[in-house]
Amino acid sequence: MSVQQATAVRTLVLGDPEDVREAAAALAAGRAVAHGFGNVYALTCRPERDAVEDVNRLKGRPAGQPADLTTVPERIPSAFDWTRLPDDVPRQQIRSLAEELLGLGPIGLRGPAADRVPGALTADDDGVRTVRVVAPGTRCPSHAFLGAALALTGGDFLAVTSANRSHHATGRAHEPAHWRAAGLAGEFGADPGVRILAHADEEAARRRHPFHRATSVSVLSFHRTAGRTRSGLPALVLERHGSLSADHIRAVAANHGFGLALAPHATRPLPPRPYAAGSPRATSAHTVFPSVS
């Protein structure tokens, strides 16, 4: 996409009620919305399988790959089947841990899926039907958009994925999520199936989440444990080492009676997306974002 094409992209803005309503209506009508999500951007769509498959193709992923689930904070507990927790994972302690992590910012939580979760948002892990809930955290203004989209779709859940092209499409091992709307517009702005709902102020969005790096969310799973720590605490599994550091998650987990084990592929944190030197840094509301590619 050229700079001239990118500058023609009309970008909606989080925090503007009319823009939020327009983006929610576009999602309800079947389009994907690339929107501010914590300190980065995410791509959200309806949770039905055909919508998820369309977004997977857009990203260059296999069409049948499950999406993550997102929703407003008060509906997150209903995504999980709390009766299927391991015996050494008390429900109330997990819920209080999740609430603290969500209070800090964007996070992913993987657990046993409730029966009502659409199949396109679930994955089987050795006989356990799981769902990965990815939320922007309670400090993010995107909840107004998510709530409006849920009201129009008539459901409790939406599908979400990182705002990037997949490594299947680019040939690179990992393609980090966008954290600048300029880059987002350059990559997705020309697609008629995508609307862009940008942070009103990207610098402020990052300041709002001082413990998080500008990359995809960390994902903590609790549908099974990884034994016990030396002090005897049941160890939850960090399955993706993203924006919130393993050390920070370990400290928060300990406050709620859990240890932390890192999955083999989570020993090294995901890097933020690098942008070209000298590329524009558009951060203000109602700015038209040129390409940074």
Side-chain angles (χ1 to χ4, degrees):
M1 186 178 185
S2 69
V3 171
Q4 289 76 19
Q5 288 172 313
T7 55
V9 174
R10 177 169 175 253
T11 301
L12 305 175
V13 179
L14 274 174
D16 183 311
E18 291 186 6
D19 283 2
V20 167
R21 285 193 291 269
E22 183 175 336
L27 185 147
R31 298 170 78 175
V33 177
H35 61 97
F37 194 91
N39 58 345
V40 293
Y41 286 92
L43 198 60
T44 298
C45 67
R46 297 182 66 106
E48 293 83 12
R49 189 170 299 279
D50 56 348
V52 171
E53 290 180 352
D54 286 347
V55 169
N56 281 338
R57 294 187 188 99
L58 171 71
K59 284 169 56 80
R61 298 165 67 174
Q65 185 168 327
D68 295 330
L69 181 154
T70 197
T71 188
V72 290
E74 59 269 23
R75 301 188 191 184
I76 289 175
S78 67
F80 298 114
D81 183 348
W82 299 99
T83 68
R84 301 189 66 189
L85 290 180
D87 291 339
D88 56 352
V89 179
R91 177 190 307 186
Q92 190 53 50
Q93 288 175 235
I94 279 291
R95 293 182 68 155
S96 60
L97 168 59
E99 288 173 4
E100 183 170 353
L101 291 172
L102 287 165
L104 292 174
I107 193 69
L109 302 164
R110 186 179 179 199
D115 291 341
R116 59 202 301 268
V117 173
L121 311 184
T122 67
D124 181 84
D125 184 15
D126 196 22
V128 179
R129 182 175 180 264
T130 67
V131 60
R132 192 161 72 177
V133 174
V134 174
T138 55
R139 303 182 185 195
C140 182
S142 64
H143 292 302
F145 160 66
L146 297 176
L150 290 169
L152 291 175
T153 58
D156 290 319
F157 310 127
L158 299 168
V160 69
T161 183
S162 53
N164 56 8
R165 299 289 182 183
S166 169
H167 61 84
H168 296 286
T170 65
R172 290 187 281 271
H174 174 73
E175 192 69 20
H178 280 287
W179 49 274
R180 289 188 191 170
L184 193 68
E187 189 156 30
F188 293 106
D191 195 297
V194 179
R195 295 306 310 270
I196 296 176
L197 183 65
H199 286 296
D201 185 327
E202 291 175 342
E203 295 290 348
R206 289 190 287 278
R207 288 196 303 270
R208 197 179 292 123
H209 302 97
F211 303 116
H212 294 70
R213 293 176 304 118
T215 192
S216 298
V217 302
S218 296
V219 178
L220 181 67
S221 68
F222 54 88
H223 62 288
R224 63 178 80 254
T225 57
R228 291 184 173 270
T229 66
R230 292 179 181 177
S231 58
L233 299 178
L236 307 179
V237 178
L238 185 67
E239 64 176 50
R240 185 167 75 193
H241 194 171
S243 57
L244 189 61
S245 74
D247 287 342
H248 203 128
I249 294 173
R250 181 178 291 109
V252 174
N255 290 338
H256 298 272
F258 298 107
L260 186 71
L262 274 60
H265 52 276
T267 55
R268 302 181 70 177
L270 299 179
R273 173 182 286 268
Y275 289 103
S279 58
R281 300 187 63 182
T283 62
S284 299
H286 299 291
T287 303
V288 176
F289 297 97
S291 171
V292 297
S293 301

